[in-house]
């Protein structure tokens, strides 16, 4: 169907309407098909008696016409590939031709005028308004022709020719008037239906386009909402990390000041207590008191050292270090306590691991924290000997964003970490241990050390099962080798 600024008549746009659509052409084709079926059925039934009667009355033209018309109807119905306009024109032509022959043979009192009256109506239904008007014009020809015949008839009988012509003229005018009203009315009705149907189809297409646009807008809105939620989540994470970093920085500043203020009087206390112990005349009670003073002073000294490490991360020398050597050195510091608590240590260090540039003592300190926590968790869950009382310490290489990394993993079966505790694992001074067993700075310091090494410290936990701590370190973090003087200066500061 053509789309233009003004609507087309059904007959004018008939060849462009899609054959599979539900437009006006679809119903015109169905109407034509039904007419052909009815014509074949009724024509076949009426053909034999009609031909016999025509032959009996020697109406040879009528017999020939009936035969040709029935054959043409069969041809139009059963032969495929004939365009619709040709079929419709043939059917209208059949009606016109039959009307002409019957009018000529049987006169005005036969079926000829009926066929001629139906001709423009059928044409309007099948071919549109313009074809209907043309058909009405064609009907003028037989009416005028028959009037001429009436005016020229004369066989010796007394016939009032003038009166007959007047009557025929009145009949013809009324015939044409009613025929025009009927044919044009039907054609206009179909044209209105055509326009309404075209408008409805355009409305449906517009609705489809609007639905597609709405669906696209919905998808875009959902994507925008998801992106906004993702950005808000990133913003919250960045804010949380910023707050965490500011908290660590403020606590580090406080810790540095407190540590320096405590360190000097603490050394004096330890020295006086040691002098008391070295004095041979010290009584047993005093010796015991002095021993306790030295022991507690050493514990305070360790806390002070941790505070200093937390506040400024002591700058020891860094160089490429062998992962296996780091792990073995760490195990040597804590292996005795593992054996004492009947904990099996499973070490999985593959050969050929690349060396990592780091400060070895700091990485050992980082490994000691999860190992110590795993030992405490296992010993708390299994006070005695148990098959589950084991710790796995493993190392493995991996790549991320084109860079080589090494991952150190400490895994235990100590029951996991509850969610309310897990979210505070790296907070300074947060601990679930007693005052004698923990200060709450171990993991915070470790987090700072790993971050300074441009690495990652993170953990996985399953409450009721166990925990895995991961230390991810770059093989080459971009550090340059420092001078020995820098390392010595760092050690002198403590």
């Amino acid at each position: 169907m053509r789309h233009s600024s003004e609507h087309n008549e059904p007959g004018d746009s008939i060849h462009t309407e899609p054959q599979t659509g539900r437009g006006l052409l679809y119903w015109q084709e169905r109407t034509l098909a039904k007419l052909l079926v009815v014509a074949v059925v009724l024509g076949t039934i009426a053909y034999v008696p009609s031909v016999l009667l025509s032959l009996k009355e020697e109406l040879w033209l009528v017999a020939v016409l009936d035969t040709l018309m029935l054959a043409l109807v069969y041809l139009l119905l059963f032969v495929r590939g004939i365009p619709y306009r040709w079929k419709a024109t043939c059917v209208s032509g059949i009606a016109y031709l039959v009307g002409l022959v019957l009018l000529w043979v049987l006169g005005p009192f036969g079926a000829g005028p009926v066929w001629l009256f139906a001709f423009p109506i059928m044409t309007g239904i099948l071919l549109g308004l313009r074809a209907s008007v043309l058909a009405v014009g064609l009907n003028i020809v037989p009416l005028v022709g028959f009037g001429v015949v009436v005016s020229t008839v004369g066989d010796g009988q007394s016939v009032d020719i003038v009166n007959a012509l007047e009557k025929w003229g009145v009949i013809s005018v009324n015939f044409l008037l009613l025929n025009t009203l009927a044919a044009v009315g039907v054609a206009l009705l179909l044209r209105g239906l055509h326009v309404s149907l075209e408008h409805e189809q355009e409305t449906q297409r517009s609705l489809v386009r609007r639905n597609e646009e709405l669906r696209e807008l919905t998808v875009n809105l959902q994507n925008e909402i998801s992106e906004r939620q993702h950005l808000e989540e990133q913003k919250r994470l960045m804010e949380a990390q910023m707050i965490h970093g500011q908290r660590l920085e403020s606590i580090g500043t406080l810790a540095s000041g407190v540590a320096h203020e405590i360190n000097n009087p603490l050394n004096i206390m330890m020295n006086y207590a040691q002098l008391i112990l070295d004095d041979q005349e010290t009584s047993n009670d005093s010796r015991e008191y002095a021993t306790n003073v030295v022991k507690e002073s050493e514990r305070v000294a360790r806390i002070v050292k941790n505070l200093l490490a937390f506040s400024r991360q002591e700058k020891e020398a860094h160089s490429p270090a062998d992962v296996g050597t780091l792990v073995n050195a760490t195990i040597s510091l804590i292996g005795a306590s593992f054996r004492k608590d009947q904990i099996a240590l499973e070490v999985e260090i593959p050969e050929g691991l690349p060396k990592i540039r780091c400060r070895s003592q700091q990485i050992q300190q980082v490994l000691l924290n999860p190992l110590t926590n795993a030992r405490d968790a296992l010993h708390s869950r299994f006070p005695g000997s148990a098959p589950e009382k084991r710790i796995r310490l493993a190392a493995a290489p991996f790549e991320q964003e084109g860079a080589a990394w090494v991952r150190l993993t400490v895994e235990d079966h100590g029951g996991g970490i509850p969610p309310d505790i897990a979210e505070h694992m790296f907070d300074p001074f947060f601990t679930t241990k007693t005052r004698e067993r923990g200060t709450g700075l171990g993991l915070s310091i470790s987090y700072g050390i790993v971050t300074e090494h441009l690495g990652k410290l993170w953990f996985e936990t399953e409450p009721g099962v166990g925990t895995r701590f991961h230390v991810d370190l770059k093989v080459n973090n971009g550090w340059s080798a420092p001078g020995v003087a820098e390392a010595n200066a760092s050690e002198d500061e403590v």
Side-chain angles (χ1 to χ4, degrees):
M1 185 180 294
R2 296 192 300 266
H3 300 288
S4 61
S5 58
E6 59 181 10
H7 296 288
N8 303 309
E9 295 181 13
D12 296 337
S13 60
I14 213 162
H15 61 286
T16 59
E17 179 72 21
Q19 295 294 323
T20 58
R22 287 295 186 268
L24 181 62
L25 178 62
Y26 171 79
W27 298 108
Q28 288 176 322
E29 288 183 330
R30 286 185 62 111
T31 301
L32 178 59
K34 299 296 182 184
L35 287 176
L36 290 174
V37 172
V38 172
V40 166
V41 174
L42 297 182
T44 302
I45 295 175
Y47 174 73
V48 175
S50 176
V51 170
L52 291 178
L53 180 62
S54 299
L55 293 177
K56 182 179 180 180
E57 297 186 3
E58 297 182 355
L59 300 175
W60 312 111
L61 182 60
V62 174
V64 172
L65 181 64
D66 286 343
T67 303
L68 292 177
M69 294 302 101
L70 184 62
L72 182 58
V73 170
Y74 269 94
L75 180 69
L76 294 176
L77 179 63
F78 293 108
V79 174
R80 297 181 179 273
I82 300 177
Y84 168 79
R85 184 182 275 283
W86 290 10
K87 284 186 178 182
T89 303
C90 288
V91 170
S92 298
I94 289 173
Y96 184 65
L97 185 59
V98 170
L100 285 178
V101 172
L102 291 179
L103 181 62
W104 175 263
V105 174
L106 301 178
F109 303 105
V114 177
W115 281 93
L116 291 177
F117 191 89
F119 164 58
I121 299 175
M122 186 181 302
T123 303
I125 294 174
L126 298 179
L127 294 173
L129 177 62
R130 293 180 182 178
S132 176
V133 173
L134 179 61
V136 173
L138 289 176
N139 268 346
I140 298 176
V141 175
L143 294 177
V144 173
F146 191 78
V148 172
V149 172
V150 170
S151 66
T152 57
V153 71
D155 53 359
Q157 300 179 5
S158 58
V159 179
D160 189 354
I161 300 299
V162 176
N163 190 36
L165 283 175
E166 290 178 352
K167 291 180 180 179
W168 182 249
V170 172
I171 292 173
S172 298
V173 169
N174 284 278
F175 179 90
L176 290 174
L177 176 62
L178 294 176
N179 197 210
T180 301
L181 291 175
V184 173
V186 170
L188 287 174
L189 178 61
L190 288 178
R191 183 180 182 182
L193 292 175
H194 170 72
V195 172
S196 299
L197 183 59
E198 187 180 42
H199 178 70
E200 180 182 356
Q201 291 175 341
E202 180 62 29
T203 302
Q204 290 177 349
R205 287 191 290 268
S206 177
L207 287 176
V208 171
R209 290 194 298 268
R210 293 294 178 87
N211 288 334
E212 291 295 333
E213 293 174 358
L214 182 60
R215 190 178 298 111
E216 184 177 355
L217 289 175
T218 302
V219 172
N220 293 336
L221 181 60
Q222 290 175 346
N223 292 336
E224 185 176 350
I225 291 175
S226 300
E227 184 177 358
R228 186 179 297 273
Q229 290 175 343
H230 179 66
L231 291 175
E232 290 179 353
E233 182 65 22
Q234 286 185 332
K235 179 182 177 182
R236 284 195 295 268
L237 290 175
M238 292 178 65
E239 289 176 349
Q241 291 176 354
M242 185 180 299
I243 292 173
H244 182 72
Q246 291 174 349
R247 184 185 303 171
L248 291 177
E249 183 179 356
S250 60
I251 293 176
T253 303
L254 175 62
S256 177
V258 172
H260 281 292
E261 292 296 328
I262 293 176
N263 205 29
N264 290 332
L266 180 62
N267 288 331
I268 295 174
M269 291 172 56
M270 291 180 64
N271 291 334
Y272 278 119
Q274 190 63 44
L275 290 175
I276 294 174
L277 288 175
D278 294 340
D279 190 357
Q280 299 296 329
E281 297 180 358
T282 302
S283 63
N284 291 334
D285 291 340
S286 298
R287 188 176 297 278
E288 182 179 355
Y289 297 151
T291 301
N292 290 333
V293 170
V294 171
K295 180 179 178 182
E296 293 301 319
S297 297
E298 290 175 348
R299 191 175 72 85
V300 174
R302 287 195 299 272
I303 295 175
V304 171
K305 184 177 181 180
N306 287 337
L307 286 173
L308 287 173
F310 175 76
S311 63
R312 54 187 169 84
Q313 295 298 333
E314 298 169 317
K315 296 181 179 179
E316 61 173 301
H318 55 264
S319 59
D322 180 71
V323 176
T325 303
L326 284 176
V327 171
N328 292 331
T330 305
I331 294 174
S332 66
L333 298 176
I334 200 172
S337 62
F338 280 12
R339 290 188 293 271
K340 176 184 177 183
D341 294 331
Q342 298 179 326
I343 297 175
L345 181 61
E346 302 173 355
V347 181
E348 300 176 6
I349 307 297
E351 296 182 358
L353 284 177
K355 292 184 177 182
I356 57 175
R357 184 173 291 279
C358 66
R359 298 188 178 101
S360 300
Q361 291 183 358
Q362 288 187 342
I363 300 303
Q364 291 180 41
Q365 180 181 353
V366 171
L367 290 176
L368 279 174
N369 275 286
L371 286 171
T372 302
N373 292 336
R375 179 198 64 189
D376 294 342
L378 286 173
H379 193 61
S380 176
R381 188 179 186 187
F382 308 105
S385 176
E388 298 85 357
K389 205 172 182 181
R390 64 184 187 275
I391 297 175
R392 175 176 168 268
L393 175 56
F398 70 97
E399 285 191 5
Q400 184 175 353
E401 298 180 356
W405 292 66
V406 172
R407 172 171 296 168
L408 297 167
T409 301
V410 177
E411 181 179 1
D412 67 74
H413 300 276
I417 305 172
D420 57 333
I421 296 177
E423 62 183 12
H424 298 291
M425 287 298 292
F426 298 114
D427 289 352
F429 300 108
F430 178 81
T431 180
T432 58
K433 301 177 183 179
T434 61
R435 184 179 63 87
E436 293 79 9
R437 296 186 61 86
T439 62
L441 291 174
L443 286 177
S444 297
I445 295 173
S446 298
Y447 187 87
I449 292 173
V450 175
T451 302
E452 187 183 8
H453 280 71
L454 304 180
K456 301 175 184 177
L457 176 62
W458 56 288
F459 65 91
E460 302 173 280
T461 185
E462 185 176 354
V465 180
T467 303
R468 284 188 296 272
F469 267 88
H470 302 289
V471 182
D472 295 346
L473 297 171
K474 279 187 176 181
V475 173
N476 184 6
N477 53 21
W479 285 357
S480 58
V484 179
E486 179 187 354
N488 294 335
S490 300
E491 293 176 0
D492 293 341
E493 285 182 356
V494 181

